[in-house]
């Protein structure tokens, strides 16, 4: 990715992080297309896989979308067989959304080559470099999660 003229004084590592975030977004779009869904639907499946079952409002909050949009998304994903809704045993008004085993398997199949390639790069690091990279990425991840 070319250096943006408005950010010419940024550290090269900052530019590399920006490029990695952009490549990740592009990859998610390609994976979503591979699985026959849009990027938001793919993000929802990913969030459910990583975080676990949750309510529609919680899913909306995790994805940064409106509850009404999340409801439409869950309807679409449920119709496609990617998620199931279950009523809470105690509070029958509460509905929990869970990705299906088929969606989990399809997602794993789509992502496995990329994850395997990333893992190979990581396994080539010596212990010191791995510690530095993990600390760096943890710090960047915390920033991404806590800023608007």
């Amino acid at each position: 990715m070319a250096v943006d003229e408005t950010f010419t004084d940024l550290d090269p590592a900052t530019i590399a992080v920006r490029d990695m975030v952009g490549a990740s977004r592009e990859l998610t779009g390609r994976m979503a297309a591979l699985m026959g869904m849009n990027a938001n639907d793919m993000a929802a499946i990913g969030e459910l896989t990583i975080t676990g079952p949750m309510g529609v409002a919680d899913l909306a909050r995790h994805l940064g979308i409106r509850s009404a949009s999340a409801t439409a998304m869950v309807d679409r994903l449920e119709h496609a067989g990617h998620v199931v809704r279950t009523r809470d045993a105690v509070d029958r008004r509460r509905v929990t959304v869970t990705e299906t085993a088929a969606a989990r398997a399809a997602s794993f199949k789509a992502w496995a080559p990329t994850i395997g390639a990333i893992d190979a790069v990581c396994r080539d690091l010596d212990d010191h470099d791995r510690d530095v990279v993990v600390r760096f990425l943890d710090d960047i991840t915390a920033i991404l999660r806590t800023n608007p």
Side-chain angles (χ1 to χ4, degrees):
M1 183 178 274
V3 175
D4 185 333
E5 292 301 318
T6 59
F7 293 111
T8 56
D9 61 338
L10 292 177
D11 187 275
T14 303
I15 300 298
V17 169
R18 181 199 63 186
D19 292 351
M20 184 181 69
V21 169
S24 175
R25 192 176 18 246
E26 293 166 5
L27 175 63
T28 299
R30 290 192 309 272
M31 291 298 177
L34 182 67
M35 292 185 62
M37 59 179 67
N38 66 47
N40 283 340
D41 291 1
M42 172 66 88
I45 297 296
E47 192 63 38
L48 291 169
T49 300
I50 293 167
T51 307
M54 65 183 76
V56 175
D58 296 326
L59 184 59
R61 193 178 72 259
H62 280 268
L63 297 175
I65 62 175
R66 296 184 349 246
S67 289
S69 298
T71 298
M73 175 190 300
V74 170
D75 288 345
R76 196 170 49 250
L77 290 170
E78 184 177 41
H79 180 72
H82 297 303
V83 300
V84 293
R85 287 179 167 119
T86 54
R87 294 237 175 246
D88 187 273
V90 176
D91 183 353
R92 300 292 294 163
R93 296 169 296 174
R94 179 159 171 76
V95 174
T96 301
V97 180
T98 307
E99 84 279 12
T100 63
R104 204 172 21 257
S107 181
F108 176 79
K109 182 179 177 186
W111 285 97
T114 301
I115 292 170
I118 292 169
D119 191 55
V121 170
C122 293
R123 289 179 184 275
D124 281 344
L125 297 171
D126 64 36
D127 290 343
H128 175 265
D129 287 349
R130 182 177 299 106
D131 290 344
V132 170
V133 169
V134 168
R135 188 174 63 248
F136 173 79
L137 291 174
D138 284 347
D139 290 349
I140 297 297
T141 300
I143 291 168
L144 294 175
R145 286 192 172 138
T146 59
N147 283 276

